[in-house]
């Protein structure tokens, strides 16, 4: 079942890119007592994600944080090394990269999609959410484009 507004975010351990390499990140701990904007992309370095989705969050990071947000995070079904390289490529230092390499969090959210026809296997749908102390306050999912999951849309929801 797909997560919905008002639901508690699942507690799953995934990876992030740390200074010494991949590090565990527990979503329950990461979200506890914080307001977090989380957006997800089908794949790091893919054209739509790199050219249309991530740039809005990079450019608007200060505006989002100024609205009382404690962290901005980007989720993708990629490994922590890829997410770290993409973070550097996108100048996304203000964004915590969440590597869901086995799609465990994506599946716990009910937001997986089958991209096997493109040779990409199980991926995450494109979405953005506002999570306040572990509870989803906004969820925007895009089948195409970034209208529901853009930084601008998230800013309007804050």
């Amino acid at each position: 079942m797909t997560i919905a507004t008002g639901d508690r975010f699942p507690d799953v351990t995934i990876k992030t890119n740390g200074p010494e390499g991949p590090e565990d990140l527990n979503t329950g701990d990461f979200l506890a007592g914080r307001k977090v904007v989380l957006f997800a992309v089908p794949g790091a370095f893919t054209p739509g994600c790199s050219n249309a989705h991530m740039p809005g969050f990079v450019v608007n990071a200060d505006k989002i944080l100024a609205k009382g947000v404690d962290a901005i995070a980007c989720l993708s079904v990629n490994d922590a090394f890829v997410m770290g390289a993409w973070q550097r490529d996108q100048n996304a230092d203000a964004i915590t990269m969440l590597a869901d390499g086995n799609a465990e969090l994506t599946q716990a959210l009910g937001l997986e999609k089958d991209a096997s026809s493109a040779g990409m296997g199980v991926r995450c749908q494109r979405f953005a959410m506002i999570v306040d102390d572990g509870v989803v306050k906004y969820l925007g999912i895009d089948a195409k484009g970034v209208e529901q999951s853009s930084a601008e849309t998230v800013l309007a929801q804050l």
Side-chain angles (χ1 to χ4, degrees), residues 26-104:
N26 178 273
T27 58
D29 294 339
F30 181 71
L31 298 169
R34 303 169 84 194
K35 183 183 280 189
V36 177
V37 166
L38 170 68
F39 69 101
V41 298
F45 289 106
T46 59
C49 303
S50 292
N51 299 331
H53 205 186
M54 174 68 85
F57 286 94
V58 171
V59 169
N60 289 294
D62 289 340
K63 291 178 187 174
I64 292 168
L65 295 169
K67 294 272 190 174
V69 171
D70 298 296
I72 304 167
C74 176
L75 173 71
S76 185
V77 179
N78 288 109
D79 64 64
F81 296 108
V82 169
M83 293 300 283
W86 194 43
Q87 182 180 40
R88 289 186 297 278
D89 180 74
Q90 293 285 308
N91 296 311
D93 294 334
I95 299 171
T96 301
M97 305 303 267
L98 305 179
D100 189 19
N102 295 325
E104 292 167 349

Side-chain angles (χ1 to χ4, degrees), residues 5-46:
T5 301
D7 288 351
R8 179 151 288 284
F9 198 92
D11 192 5
V12 177
T13 298
I14 55 175
K15 299 288 185 184
T16 191
N17 52 314
E20 303 297 321
E23 296 178 354
D24 285 348
L25 182 140
N26 178 273
T27 58
D29 294 339
F30 181 71
L31 298 169
R34 303 169 84 194
K35 183 183 280 189
V36 177
V37 166
L38 170 68
F39 69 101
V41 298
F45 289 106
T46 59

